Amino acid sequence: MAIEVMPEWLASLDEEDVSFIKKFVLASGSLKEVAGIYGVTYPTVRLRLDRLIQKIRLGEQADEEPYIALIKRLAVKDKLDFDTAKLLINEYKKLREGNK
């Protein structure tokens, strides 16, 4: 029997995000249909999808440094916006590379 391992990016998503992904897939990727399901506008659903994409991208980056992990957790928990998180991580990496 195979042991199933949940991808780290999926494990980092909350229940609401997973529900959104399920509805999106069942709607064959139609943002218009998902907007109807949620009773919101297309731009609202597009924004939600864009934020989810950012969460997944951040979750896929495999940096184990405590500072970077903290920045990612803050972004995933909406305590810090994703653009700021990316900026902080990139600047930290530049600084770290400059000190080597």
Side-chain angles (χ1 to χ4, degrees), residues 6-7 11 13 16 22 28 39-40 48-49 51 57 59 62 64 69 75 77 81 85 90 94 98 100:
M6 183 180 296
L13 300 179
E16 215 173 282
K22 181 179 178 182
S28 299
V40 297
R48 172 97 186 255
L49 180 60
R51 295 202 58 180
R57 284 185 178 149
E64 295 302 320
K77 293 179 180 180
D81 68 85
N90 289 334
K94 284 183 204 173
K100 287 187 176 179

Side-chain angles (χ1 to χ4, degrees), residues 16-60:
E16 215 173 282
D17 292 330
V18 174
S19 176
F20 178 85
I21 291 169
K22 181 179 178 182
K23 288 176 179 155
F24 180 70
V25 170
L26 291 174
S28 299
S30 168
L31 293 179
K32 185 176 179 181
E33 190 173 327
V34 173
I37 292 169
Y38 280 103
V40 297
T41 65
Y42 175 92
T44 301
V45 173
R46 180 73 240 182
L47 180 63
R48 172 97 186 255
L49 180 60
D50 289 342
R51 295 202 58 180
L52 187 54
I53 290 168
Q54 290 176 325
K55 277 186 179 182
I56 292 169
R57 284 185 178 149
L58 272 178
E60 284 185 327

Side-chain angles (χ1 to χ4, degrees), residues 9 11-17 51-52 54-56 58-59 68-83 85 89:
W9 66 266
S12 70
L13 300 179
D14 59 34
E15 211 173 298
E16 215 173 282
D17 292 330
R51 295 202 58 180
L52 187 54
Q54 290 176 325
K55 277 186 179 182
I56 292 169
L58 272 178
I68 293 174
L70 171 64
I71 296 299
K72 287 180 183 179
R73 279 194 309 275
L74 290 172
V76 168
K77 293 179 180 180
D78 292 328
K79 303 289 183 189
L80 188 65
D81 68 85
F82 289 102
D83 290 332
I89 290 169

Side-chain angles (χ1 to χ4, degrees), residues 83-94:
D83 290 332
T84 302
K86 283 194 265 185
L87 176 69
L88 289 171
I89 290 169
N90 289 334
E91 290 300 316
Y92 174 76
K93 286 180 178 179
K94 284 183 204 173

